[in-house]
Amino acid sequence: MTGTTSTAHGGAEAVRVRRRVPTRTPHQAVKAGGGRLGGPLAALPWALPAFTLVGVLLVYPFFRSVYGSFFEDNGFTSSFTGFDNYTRLADDPIFGRSLLNTLMWVAGTLLLPVLAGLLIAVATHSMRFGGIAQLIIVLPYAISGAATAVLWNFMLTSDGAVNQVLRGVGLDGWAHTWLLEWPQNTLAMIVASTWQATGLNVVLFAIGLRAIPSETVEAAELDGASGWRMFRHITLPQLRAVTVVVVGMAVVNSLKAFDMIWILTKGGPSRSSETLALSMYRETFRLFHVGYGSAIALVLSVIVVASSWMYLRHQMPDTGTAKS
């Protein structure tokens, strides 16, 4: 305890006065605050608006789609049909083509934007004007998907810029109707999406490269590592956390690709370039097959969640053991 020293009148002897400071044990403090909103419930009023928005905008529509997928619904009348909508999916060639196009988008998005972003970030990391080069590559990401689609539509039409350049240099045989035949229309749109999406990947990988400890790089250089060996054994392992994020975002974005496909081809010709997201939109809002569109939406949701879960589980295998 702390004390104070006081002097009596007339030079009297100093008397030490001890004062008792009130204290509370942690148990008493918790018990005293028990009457008020505290502990785990203290943040509930603040989190309630967010929970409400998530419930209204995400949870309720999901379960409403699951429920609606068991009905034949045209937006005005509905009748229970059980699993007929899912049986129709198995027999629908348009759904099969949409699923194939979706898988092509996933594969193309993983091979092109992710790989290109990684290589460009590594190549420009130590360049003198690498920051300017990265800025130029990032600029297309600032353009909206709709504006990007309009730009590439100007380039890929039958008399567009690409064919005019090919004919101008004498490569007439390479000129094609890029957006009117499958699968080259899907491949052309994947290239257009790559042009826009690569910039974000460059930024993320550049941040990861700057986070690599300089001591690690210097130690590897002293051991004689350079070029491919440096990239394979030092750079790539150090970028694993960033790569998990980039690949995860690429998979999810490719599964829900919509705006560029709709503006460039509207899923045509004859719905040959549709993805699952576009098929869901057409069936629900254009053809008013609400129940069938809900079944497609559920299949797409299952694919997104399952692929994300399997990828993250594979990349972070210690998560489950750490919790247990």
Side-chain angles (χ1 to χ4, degrees):
M1 302 295 176
T2 60
T4 59
T5 303
S6 62
T7 305
H9 292 287
E13 185 180 359
V15 179
R16 185 176 296 276
V17 179
R18 297 181 179 275
R19 298 178 181 177
R20 184 178 179 84
V21 178
T23 60
R24 288 190 300 177
T25 65
H27 175 72
Q28 291 172 336
V30 173
K31 186 176 181 181
R36 299 188 299 270
L37 185 62
L41 299 179
L44 184 59
W46 306 98
L48 192 58
F51 288 152
T52 302
L53 286 176
V54 171
V56 171
L57 299 179
L58 295 177
V59 179
Y60 171 75
F62 173 76
F63 286 104
R64 181 63 182 84
S65 296
V66 174
Y67 175 78
S69 66
F70 296 104
F71 289 81
E72 179 63 37
D73 188 353
N74 60 7
F76 300 97
T77 60
S78 62
S79 59
F80 181 79
T81 57
F83 290 94
D84 287 356
N85 286 324
Y86 296 97
T87 304
R88 178 182 171 187
L89 286 177
D91 299 330
D92 189 355
I94 294 177
F95 173 78
R97 176 63 62 86
S98 297
L99 183 59
L100 177 59
N101 286 331
T102 302
L103 296 178
M104 290 175 61
W105 271 88
V106 173
T109 302
L110 291 180
L111 289 176
L112 297 179
V114 175
L115 184 60
L118 175 60
L119 296 179
I120 293 172
V122 172
T124 58
H125 178 62
S126 301
M127 288 176 56
R128 184 177 179 182
F129 299 103
I132 298 177
Q134 292 177 0
L135 176 61
I136 295 174
I137 296 169
V138 169
L139 286 178
Y141 183 72
I143 305 175
S144 66
T148 302
V150 172
L151 173 62
W152 279 84
N153 184 63
F154 166 76
M155 297 173 59
L156 296 175
T157 52
S158 300
D159 56 348
V162 174
N163 285 341
Q164 290 184 15
V165 170
L166 291 175
R167 295 188 182 102
V169 296
L171 298 176
D172 296 32
W174 288 30
H176 292 286
T177 51
W178 300 102
L179 300 177
L180 298 180
E181 298 178 14
W182 187 90
Q184 64 191 27
N185 51 11
T186 297
L187 297 176
M189 289 186 289
I190 291 174
V191 172
S193 177
T194 298
W195 178 79
Q196 182 189 29
T198 300
L200 176 62
N201 297 337
V202 171
V203 171
L204 295 177
F205 282 123
I207 294 172
L209 289 171
R210 289 182 175 87
I212 298 177
S214 58
E215 296 83 1
T216 303
V217 177
E218 292 172 359
E221 290 176 347
L222 291 175
D223 289 338
S226 61
W228 169 251
R229 291 181 61 192
M230 176 72 76
F231 176 78
R232 172 67 179 83
H233 298 287
I234 301 298
T235 304
L236 201 57
Q238 293 288 333
L239 291 176
R240 179 178 178 181
V242 177
T243 305
V244 170
V245 175
V246 171
V247 172
M249 292 173 55
V251 171
V252 173
N253 290 334
S254 62
L255 288 172
K256 62 185 184 66
F258 178 85
D259 50 355
M260 187 169 295
I261 304 173
W262 182 256
I263 294 176
L264 286 175
T265 65
K266 287 187 169 55
S270 301
R271 305 185 64 175
S272 62
S273 61
E274 281 189 359
T275 58
L276 290 178
L278 204 67
S279 295
M280 174 191 65
Y281 169 80
R282 188 185 300 277
E283 293 290 343
T284 304
F285 300 104
R286 292 281 178 159
L287 303 178
F288 298 103
H289 300 156
V290 180
Y292 189 56
S294 298
I296 298 176
L298 182 58
V299 171
L300 178 60
S301 300
V302 170
I303 292 175
V304 171
V305 173
S307 59
S308 302
W309 178 79
M310 288 188 296
Y311 174 72
L312 293 176
R313 185 171 182 269
H314 175 72
Q315 293 296 327
M316 296 181 290
D318 298 334
T319 303
T321 57
K323 291 183 179 180
S324 59

